[in-house]
Amino acid sequence: MTKRQTLILLLLLGAQFTLAVDFSIMNVAVPVIGRELDFAAENLQWIATAFALSAAGFSLLFGRIADLIGARKVFLAGLVLLTLSSLAGGLVDDAGPLLAARVAQGLATAMVTPAGLALLITAFPEGPLRDRALGLNGAMLSAGFTCGAILGGLLTDTLSWRWGFFINIPIGILLIVVTPMLLKGGSRSTGGKLDIPGAVSVSAGLIA
């Protein structure tokens, strides 16, 4: 593995780990958030579910968009959205805006995850190096889910649940700055169309 490939791997794994952490980092803080923002008890689960539904429902759509306009563009756009939505989520004082921030974080995940996987496959030729990179990618996702719960508890106990959002800001800015330096634009597909009704119907089905 070349030095450049190592740096690309660290960049992409760092992004995937951050997204996996986001999936579970707020779960531990749900009771505290509910008390501070006057969430109705029956609506507390939406703090986690709003993120998961938007991430799952739109991953295929943004994966197709990455094919059409380039994976790096979608990857960067997702990182920008993650950073801004994390800032907004940490500053809100009402239940509605908090859930909107979680939906935006989920959409950012739906953008970064397939685009990052495409960039990972492009950066490593087929063979042992790609297999190793994909294996590490899966391991980082699994580790992120576990670390998110632990980190969420630590931040809530020592600082505030808001730091579950704020912690993404410096990481997001770093990734946004480094990405253009390391990653090429990548190839694009020609033809085809976006299945927006499909993405909406998948999300609606999951919500139902």
Side-chain angles (χ1 to χ4, degrees):
M1 189 179 297
T2 65
K3 182 179 179 180
R4 182 181 181 82
Q5 286 176 321
T6 301
L7 292 174
I8 291 174
L9 184 62
L10 290 174
L11 167 66
L12 296 176
L13 292 184
Q16 300 288 19
F17 181 79
T18 301
L19 296 172
V21 165
D22 276 347
F23 185 86
S24 55
I25 194 170
M26 303 305 298
N27 292 357
V28 180
V30 162
V32 179
I33 297 173
R35 289 195 299 270
E36 288 193 14
L37 299 186
D38 295 324
F39 263 86
E42 64 271 18
N43 293 330
L44 282 175
Q45 80 276 4
W46 284 102
I47 296 173
T49 306
F51 178 98
L53 290 178
S54 55
F58 286 88
S59 289
L60 290 175
L61 175 65
F62 283 115
R64 180 59 178 151
I65 292 174
D67 285 340
L68 294 175
I69 70 172
R72 190 179 72 166
K73 289 182 179 179
V74 175
F75 186 79
L76 276 170
L79 291 175
V80 171
L81 179 59
L82 176 67
T83 304
L84 294 177
S85 59
S86 297
L87 175 61
L91 295 176
V92 298
D93 287 312
D94 191 62
L98 178 76
L99 292 181
R102 288 296 279 168
V103 169
Q105 285 186 318
L107 291 174
T109 299
M111 297 169 73
V112 173
T113 300
L117 186 60
L119 291 167
L120 188 68
I121 292 173
T122 302
F124 295 91
E126 187 175 357
L129 278 182
R130 181 183 290 179
D131 293 342
R132 185 185 304 173
L134 291 173
L136 287 171
N137 185 68
M140 291 300 286
L141 287 173
S142 299
F145 295 139
T146 303
C147 291
I150 298 171
L151 184 59
L154 289 173
L155 291 173
T156 302
D157 286 343
T158 58
L159 296 172
S160 166
W161 61 266
R162 297 179 184 277
W163 281 94
F165 287 101
F166 289 149
I167 194 172
N168 290 327
I169 298 172
I171 297 173
I173 292 173
L174 176 62
L175 293 175
I176 291 168
V177 171
V178 173
T179 294
M181 301 177 185
L182 291 178
L183 297 177
K184 298 178 181 179
S187 60
R188 306 176 187 178
S189 300
T190 57
K193 61 181 181 179
L194 296 177
D195 185 16
I196 296 176
V200 173
S201 62
V202 167
S203 299
L206 290 171
I207 291 171

